[in-house]
Amino acid sequence: MASVACSLVLGRGFSCAKTPTRSPIACLRLSRAVSCKMRNRHLSSQQKRQQFKRAPTERLSLNMNAQSHDNIGCEPEEASSAGVSHSSQITIPSNDAESDSNSETDVAVSSFEETNMVIENNDEQEHPSIHLEDLIATIRNAEKIEELDKILSEKEALQAEINNLEMKLAETDARIKVAAQEKINAELLENQLEKLKTEISSRNSIEEGKHGTLDDESPLVLELNDLRKENALLKDDIQMLKLKLADVSKTEERLPLLEKRHSLLEASLMELQSQLSNAQDDVSRLASLRYECKALLDKVENLQALFNDASRVMDQPTLGLQQYHELQKKVDKIEALVTEATVSKFPSENFHHYDETLREKIELLEKQLWESDQEIHSQIQLFQESVREFHDALERLKEEIEKRSQELSLENLPQEFWSRLLLIIDGWLLEKKISVNDAKLLREMTWKKDAQIRDAYLASRSKSEHEKLATFLKLTYSRTSPGMHIIHIAAEMAPVAKVGGLGDVISGLGKALQRKGHLVEIVLPKYDCMQYDLITDMKALDVVVESYFDGQLFRNKIWVGIIEGLPVYFIEPHHPAKFFWRGKYYGEYDDFKRFSFFSRAAVELLYQAGKKPDIIHCHDWQTAFVAPLYWDIYAAKGFNSARICFTCHNFEYQGTVPASELASCGLDVHQLNRPDRMRDHSADDKVNTVKGAIVFSNIVTTVSPTYSQEVRTVEGGRGLHETLKSHSKKFIGILNGIDTDAWNPSTDNYISVQYSADDLQGKAENKDAIRKCLKLSRSEGSQPLVGCITRLVPQKGVHLIRHAIYCALELGGQFVLLGSSPVPHIQREFEDIANHFQSHSHVRLLLKYDDALSHLIYAASDMFIIPSMFEPCGLTQMIAMRYGSVPIVRKTGGLNDSVFDVDDNTIPEQYQNGFTFVAPDEQGLSSAMERAFQHYIRSPESWQQLVQKDMRLDFSWDSSASQYEELYERSVARARAAARV
């Protein structure tokens, strides 16, 4: 017989090939050995899945050869997916021996049984039961747990269970594929068995002729029966796999429900976390309230003790009243005795003696009664006072409680609170504790005065820095800014570093913009002569900013603090020249170096802090460097979000120096020393920093509309008139305002008596107080008092101020001057005048600056002299009117925009508020003063109405801030539109 090679690979199929003739028993033994080896293989579930996915389905085949000496062999096959060789060789030769046939059948059945056992073992190892009921119970239990830690653990367990289910589902899919393959293999095996039966039957029929029929209990028949049983078991296993597949499908259908419950659990978790955060806030508030309640209980105990003392005091009048009644009874008895004595007609001598004795006793009793009445009255008064004190204390307690409750509300929180928050956030950013995006989001929340960040700050005040940082970072999510981010870089700021009007502008404009909802920050040099007691929460940041100067990097220490509700950064240079440790603000030989260094360090601070301001506003020549630095150096680094606004408060000071000094702060002298950039008109080798700011800024302003026209002329522009004309489209004048909170006669603590436009009695009392203080004549209360507060420099018209002193005396008034001069010969001249009038009863010259005294002079004076040669804006005339002092001014600059003559019929009556003159000479001033004195003396009622009208005028920063706001918004909008294009 021809031999046939048949390779039977379970899980992969059969492959057959012809091989040399081999003994059938040997082939069967080899097949059994190979089958055992296959059972001993152990692959990981992942390897098996990969094998099942990658192994192609091989069809079973059985090639039977009629030749008796041919061999049937199984060649080894290589599993390409796992890199493992699987081989099973079965050789079934043609043989007439019965034992050989039985062995052949036994080998086939044994091999099939081993395959089935491997499948069952794999199924038992890789398909653990899925406990859905336990999972559902776990989910239901998770909903009932209230504590946050347990919820978190349940969430993690649920997530792990879901992941496990997903993994088991994948494994089950793989097993289903294997089962399907095995089903195909089983069907093929059945076909092979049928063929084998047919062949055996044919062979048996042949053998019966020789050996007779086979017995039913022959080994071959038994093997065939076992093979049928195994086949039936395999079908049962396939059916079980189908049932398990159905269970897995149901599990897969439940997965969306589980995911939905998972999302619900996460939402519940977030809500519980929010409730926990709110509970922590409530606990912190309760702690503070407990402390306040304890303090209130102490006060109540003190009041109770006071009340007990009053009760004891009240008992004393009661005792005195009892004594009074007892004395009254004694008097009644005495009167009765007198009556009896009269009736009994005593001898005259005894009667007179007795009568005198009685009269003395009566007088003594009456005296005692009077003293008792006085004591009772005094005791009652003391008691009433105690009761009043008790009620007053209770009212104060109520007011304090209401005040505390109001402080907890968002609307009544002071601006210092929000500024403190801003500085904390920026400090974290500079110290690299939070990211730029987180800092931006937290700034915007503070900017909007968000209740969440307020509560977070109040709740974390007593916590550590790490816990406080974590609390704030929970609040970071996307928000939109309600306004603009504006940063002022300046050399002055009232009241901590004030020389002139610039300091008032920085604080006044900053607060007005802040009230309009904008984020406003200030950058100042850290002078050693600042008034540090007026800065709250000042501290140094744990960061050092390095800035370029003179070819190298210098370290700068950064300080932060709050001034009148505004957040302020102070730059302290670590430079050997000690730029800002000179004991003065200006007037040093190296002022150009000092302020060019500060300007470069200020822009570097903004760059390193990651700030993205909308507006950078620089002021005067001291910070005019900011504009070219920003556009020439920092814009190329990506720091280009801002528009630059430059304000020149006085074009007389322009910062003109040799061009070579410009290189110290890193600017390119060759590029900037050009006529169309920074070259000064006076010389080719000089640069003008104010000119550079005009050229490089997006917005250029000055401090009044009239002054903006004056500086376009040759006289007023001081050489910059042509530059201003060429940049006229971005140049505008905006009248400054005053800080109406600091200058308010109804709340001013510097003046003797507070007053208002509706009650001017206090103004007369302040006038009397300053006369007494300065030892001026007080004989005539209605005598007009002229005031003058100024720097004694040529710009202010010092020759006219000197003339005003004598003119006031000639017109029958009094004169008070407060101010000093940086010009030596002017200071000496006025010192001589002061000495001349030292003992005069109508003139006082105080050659100094005293802020407290200035408030009293404004409040006491009836008229105020401001005879300036030129005045960019001027604030003294506005302050004077705020205090009811009528201004006498020369029509120039901001004075022309704020004071309108009473006798000018071209001006509407509601705007007439003072006296003006045009010619800068003594005749013009004398004429204006004469008209003012005549109006004061001849028309007192009209004068009082003029005073009240002046006091009601609105010179606050609100109007000016609105104009700046409009300029800022238009510039930012143009920039954004250009960026989109």
Side-chain angles (χ1 to χ4, degrees):
M1 293 178 65
S3 63
V4 179
C6 178
S7 176
L8 207 118
V9 183
L10 293 176
R12 291 180 175 274
F14 294 90
S15 64
C16 299
K18 291 184 178 181
T19 59
T21 303
R22 183 176 293 184
S23 170
I25 295 176
C27 186
L28 289 173
R29 288 176 180 173
L30 180 60
S31 175
R32 189 179 294 273
V34 173
S35 177
C36 291
K37 290 180 181 179
M38 291 175 66
R39 292 178 63 184
N40 291 330
R41 286 182 305 153
H42 296 284
L43 297 175
S44 65
S45 61
Q46 183 176 358
Q47 290 173 328
K48 292 177 182 178
R49 288 196 299 272
Q50 292 173 352
Q51 290 174 5
F52 289 135
K53 290 178 182 178
R54 297 179 185 177
T57 304
E58 299 178 5
R59 301 180 59 186
L60 292 175
S61 64
L62 182 62
N63 188 4
M64 306 297 295
N65 198 320
Q67 296 177 3
S68 61
H69 298 290
D70 291 344
N71 293 329
I72 300 175
C74 295
E75 299 295 333
E77 293 180 7
E78 182 178 350
S80 60
S81 62
V84 180
S85 176
H86 305 278
S87 63
S88 177
Q89 296 179 353
I90 302 173
T91 305
I92 307 175
S94 177
N95 196 332
D96 296 333
E98 181 179 350
S99 59
D100 292 340
S101 299
N102 292 339
S103 299
E104 178 182 324
T105 305
D106 182 65
V107 169
V109 172
S110 176
S111 179
F112 188 81
E113 179 183 0
E114 289 170 0
T115 303
N116 184 49
M117 291 176 65
V118 170
I119 294 173
E120 289 180 349
N121 289 336
N122 288 338
D123 184 69
E124 290 174 359
Q125 292 175 2
E126 298 177 7
H127 189 68
S129 60
I130 303 170
H131 303 286
L132 293 178
E133 294 179 358
D134 295 339
L135 181 60
I136 293 171
T138 302
I139 295 173
R140 288 177 179 173
N141 290 333
E143 294 176 352
K144 298 178 181 179
I145 296 174
E146 295 180 357
E147 297 180 1
L148 180 60
D149 294 335
K150 196 167 183 179
I151 290 175
L152 291 174
S153 63
E154 291 288 343
K155 175 188 171 184
E156 293 173 358
L158 180 60
Q159 187 63 44
E161 195 70 20
I162 291 172
N163 294 337
N164 191 19
L165 282 174
E166 291 175 351
M167 183 180 69
K168 289 180 179 179
L169 181 60
E171 292 177 357
T172 305
D173 289 340
R175 284 197 295 273
I176 290 169
K177 292 180 181 179
V178 173
Q181 184 67 37
E182 292 297 337
K183 181 179 178 182
I184 295 171
N185 293 340
E187 292 175 353
L188 293 174
L189 185 59
E190 286 179 356
N191 295 331
Q192 294 284 4
L193 286 174
E194 290 297 331
K195 291 179 181 180
L196 186 60
K197 287 178 183 179
T198 305
E199 183 182 357
I200 290 171
S201 298
S202 62
R203 290 169 60 187
N204 286 340
S205 61
I206 295 170
E207 292 295 330
E208 283 177 357
K210 297 179 181 180
H211 302 287
T213 59
L214 291 172
D215 189 5
D216 292 338
E217 296 181 359
S218 65
L220 182 59
V221 173
L222 293 174
E223 289 292 337
L224 286 173
N225 292 334
D226 291 339
L227 188 59
R228 290 190 184 98
K229 291 179 182 180
E230 293 294 336
N231 188 25
L233 292 173
L234 183 58
K235 289 181 179 180
D236 294 339
D237 290 338
I238 291 173
Q239 194 65 27
M240 289 179 63
L241 284 173
K242 289 181 179 180
L243 295 175
K244 290 179 180 179
L245 176 61
D247 293 339
V248 170
S249 299
K250 292 180 180 179
T251 304
E252 188 175 2
E253 291 174 357
R254 293 184 61 84
L255 279 177
L257 179 61
L258 291 174
E259 291 177 354
K260 184 177 181 181
R261 291 184 177 178
H262 175 67
S263 62
L264 291 174
L265 281 174
E266 285 186 337
S268 301
L269 177 61
M270 293 299 293
E271 184 178 357
L272 286 172
Q273 286 177 340
S274 176
Q275 292 176 358
L276 178 61
S277 177
N278 294 334
Q280 290 175 347
D281 296 344
D282 294 337
V283 167
S284 61
R285 290 182 182 177
L286 283 174
S288 61
L289 289 175
R290 284 172 186 163
Y291 177 77
E292 293 176 1
C293 289
K294 184 179 179 182
L296 292 176
L297 286 174
D298 293 339
K299 292 182 179 181
V300 170
E301 289 177 358
N302 294 334
L303 289 174
Q304 187 64 41
L306 183 63
F307 183 76
N308 293 335
D309 294 339
S311 299
R312 285 193 296 271
V313 171
M314 189 62 187
D315 292 339
Q316 294 179 0
T318 304
L319 294 175
L321 188 61
Q322 292 176 355
Q323 294 176 359
Y324 173 78
H325 288 305
E326 292 176 357
L327 289 173
Q328 189 66 41
K329 290 179 181 178
K330 291 180 180 180
V331 171
D332 293 339
K333 289 180 180 180
I334 292 171
E335 288 179 351
L337 290 173
V338 170
T339 304
E340 290 178 358
T342 304
V343 173
S344 59
K345 296 180 181 180
F346 284 126
S348 61
E349 291 180 1
N350 293 334
F351 177 79
H352 286 297
H353 176 70
Y354 188 70
D355 183 55
E356 290 177 359
T357 304
L358 287 177
R359 288 181 182 277
E360 290 175 357
K361 290 182 178 181
I362 290 170
E363 290 176 357
L364 180 62
L365 288 172
E366 288 178 350
K367 184 177 180 182
Q368 291 178 351
L369 284 172
W370 183 81
E371 291 175 353
S372 178
D373 289 340
Q374 292 296 321
E375 186 176 359
I376 290 170
H377 182 69
S378 63
Q379 294 294 336
I380 290 173
Q381 287 182 336
L382 288 174
F383 176 75
Q384 291 175 345
E385 290 177 0
S386 300
V387 171
R388 281 196 298 271
E389 290 178 359
F390 178 77
H391 286 296
D392 291 341
L394 284 177
E395 290 297 327
R396 285 195 299 272
L397 279 176
K398 290 179 181 178
E399 291 176 358
E400 186 175 354
I401 292 172
E402 290 178 0
K403 185 178 179 181
R404 292 288 178 86
S405 63
Q406 289 176 355
E407 286 177 354
L408 293 175
S409 65
L410 181 65
E411 292 76 14
N412 293 325
L413 283 174
Q415 191 59 47
E416 286 83 356
F417 175 86
W418 304 107
S419 297
R420 187 180 299 111
L421 270 181
L422 283 173
L423 293 177
I424 290 172
I425 294 165
D426 286 340
W428 286 338
L429 176 62
L430 290 170
E431 293 166 359
K432 307 298 183 185
K433 293 180 179 178
I434 59 176
S435 67
V436 174
N437 291 334
D438 289 340
K440 182 179 180 181
L441 293 172
L442 291 173
R443 280 196 203 108
E444 289 175 355
M445 293 178 71
T446 307
W447 186 355
K448 291 172 63 176
K449 299 182 178 179
D450 194 289
Q452 285 185 316
I453 198 167
R454 174 205 64 183
D455 295 339
Y457 175 74
L458 294 174
S460 60
R461 280 185 298 180
S462 59
K463 295 182 180 179
S464 65
E465 185 77 3
H466 179 72
E467 293 174 329
K468 186 182 296 184
L469 193 61
T471 303
F472 274 73
L473 288 177
K474 290 180 182 178
L475 304 176
T476 56
Y477 56 89
S478 179
R479 293 171 177 268
T480 56
S481 301
M484 291 177 288
H485 184 186
I486 303 162
I487 298 177
H488 289 270
I489 302 176
E492 298 181 34
M493 182 180 182
V496 297
K498 173 177 161 49
V499 175
L502 170 60
D504 295 311
V505 171
I506 300 302
S507 56
L509 178 58
K511 288 190 290 185
L513 290 169
Q514 190 181 62
R515 286 193 296 269
K516 289 180 175 292
H518 302 292
L519 172 58
V520 181
E521 296 176 309
I522 316 294
V523 183
L524 295 175
K526 186 177 182 294
Y527 300 103
D528 59 341
C529 53
M530 286 194 303
Q531 298 186 46
Y532 288 96
D533 57 323
L534 300 178
I535 307 172
T536 58
D537 295 334
M538 188 171 186
K539 67 175 182 178
L541 296 181
D542 186 18
V543 64
V544 174
V545 174
E546 291 187 338
S547 61
Y548 175 89
F549 198 74
D550 282 338
Q552 55 182 310
L553 295 176
F554 289 92
R555 296 159 64 89
N556 298 276
K557 191 173 184 179
I558 307 302
W559 297 72
V560 294
I562 300 171
I563 301 175
E564 295 187 349
L566 290 168
V568 183
Y569 295 84
F570 303 92
I571 296 178
E572 179 184 356
H574 289 184
H575 191 280
K578 298 187 179 299
F579 285 140
F580 301 108
W581 291 83
R582 309 284 184 84
K584 61 197 302 187
Y585 302 111
Y586 306 131
E588 293 293 288
Y589 70 95
D590 58 348
D591 274 356
F592 189 89
K593 281 187 174 292
R594 294 170 70 211
F595 290 104
S596 61
F597 182 99
F598 166 69
S599 297
R600 178 67 187 260
V603 182
E604 186 68 29
L605 169 63
L606 303 185
Y607 173 65
Q608 292 192 23
K611 292 182 179 291
K612 300 291 182 183
D614 297 297
I615 296 293
I616 297 177
H617 197 151
C618 47
H619 301 263
D620 281 347
W621 76 264
Q622 288 87 356
T623 57
F625 306 91
V626 169
L629 282 169
Y630 182 81
W631 291 117
D632 267 14
I633 297 176
Y634 287 91
K637 298 181 179 182
F639 181 34
N640 57 0
S641 65
R643 302 297 94 184
I644 304 298
C645 179
F646 172 70
T647 298
C648 185
H649 298 256
N650 192 334
F651 278 89
E652 188 173 7
Y653 308 100
Q654 298 181 5
T656 303
V657 294
S660 58
E661 294 192 26
L662 197 62
S664 295
C665 63
L667 290 171
D668 189 338
V669 178
H670 178 71
Q671 291 293 327
L672 296 178
N673 188 21
R674 289 163 42 181
D676 61 336
R677 296 197 176 180
M678 293 185 69
R679 180 181 295 171
D680 190 60
H681 71 284
S682 62
D684 292 344
D685 61 343
K686 287 187 177 182
V687 292
N688 186 317
T689 57
V690 171
K691 181 178 179 180
I694 295 171
V695 172
F696 281 91
S697 295
N698 304 101
I699 307 168
V700 181
T701 70
T702 191
V703 291
S704 69
T706 299
Y707 188 59
S708 70
Q709 298 301 321
E710 292 174 350
V711 295
R712 297 175 204 239
T713 64
V714 176
E715 297 81 9
R718 302 292 197 273
L720 291 178
H721 55 285
E722 293 296 336
T723 302
L724 290 171
K725 287 180 182 178
S726 61
H727 294 275
S728 60
K729 289 184 178 180
K730 62 181 181 182
F731 180 51
I732 189 174
I734 299 176
L735 187 67
N736 285 339
I738 61 173
D739 187 345
T740 53
D741 294 328
W743 300 103
N744 186 355
S746 62
T747 59
D748 196 334
N749 294 322
Y750 289 116
I751 62 179
S752 300
V753 181
Q754 296 172 350
Y755 62 98
S756 66
D758 298 324
D759 182 13
L760 294 175
Q761 181 60 35
K763 185 168 181 63
E765 295 180 16
N766 282 292
K767 184 177 179 179
D768 184 68
I770 199 169
R771 283 173 168 174
K772 183 178 180 180
C773 175
L774 300 179
K775 297 180 180 179
L776 296 174
S777 174
R778 302 163 60 192
S779 59
E780 298 182 18
S782 60
Q783 187 178 12
L785 175 63
V786 181
C788 182
I789 301 174
T790 184
R791 288 184 301 118
L792 296 172
V793 292
Q795 170 198 339
K796 301 297 182 179
V798 289
H799 66 291
L800 296 180
I801 294 173
R802 181 176 60 246
H803 174 73
I805 299 172
Y806 298 97
C807 185
L809 290 177
E810 292 176 1
L811 295 171
Q814 295 177 317
F815 194 93
V816 176
L817 170 68
L818 177 65
S820 60
S821 176
V823 184
H825 75 273
I826 296 177
Q827 181 72 11
R828 286 195 299 271
E829 179 184 357
F830 275 84
E831 285 175 354
D832 293 339
I833 298 173
N835 292 331
H836 175 73
F837 289 107
Q838 185 174 4
S839 58
H840 201 283
S841 59
H842 297 301
V843 178
R844 284 292 177 273
L845 274 65
L846 308 168
L847 302 181
K848 60 179 181 178
Y849 181 76
D850 187 326
D851 187 55
L853 186 58
S854 69
H855 284 251
L856 187 57
I857 293 174
Y858 282 123
S861 59
D862 299 299
M863 308 168 195
F864 214 84
I865 292 290
I866 312 170
S868 301
M869 295 296 96
F870 70 94
E871 189 63 67
C873 176
L875 300 179
T876 54
Q877 77 277 12
M878 302 179 194
I879 300 172
M881 286 187 277
R882 176 80 167 158
Y883 282 76
S885 182
V886 178
I888 303 173
V889 306
R890 179 173 174 266
K891 289 175 67 68
T892 181
L895 299 174
N896 185 55
D897 295 320
S898 55
V899 180
F900 306 99
D901 200 287
V902 170
D903 298 324
D904 188 351
N905 295 327
T906 63
I907 302 294
E909 186 177 353
Q910 63 267 28
Y911 297 116
Q912 297 174 359
N913 56 3
F915 297 87
T916 64
F917 62 99
V918 178
D921 52 30
E922 296 176 355
Q923 291 79 9
L925 174 61
S926 297
S927 174
M929 290 184 68
E930 288 174 3
R931 290 190 293 115
F933 270 75
Q934 290 176 4
H935 196 143
Y936 178 87
I937 295 170
R938 297 178 181 177
S939 306
E941 293 182 0
S942 176
W943 183 268
Q944 183 173 345
Q945 292 174 0
L946 177 61
V947 169
Q948 291 175 327
K949 180 168 62 176
D950 284 359
M951 292 183 70
R952 292 191 176 103
L953 291 175
D954 181 14
F955 287 108
S956 69
W957 269 104
D958 291 340
S959 175
S960 303
S962 296
Q963 296 181 62
Y964 274 107
E965 183 181 40
E966 184 180 356
L967 282 178
Y968 294 159
E969 289 176 345
R970 282 190 303 189
S971 181
V972 171
R974 283 196 298 267
R976 290 174 180 171
R980 284 195 295 268
V981 173

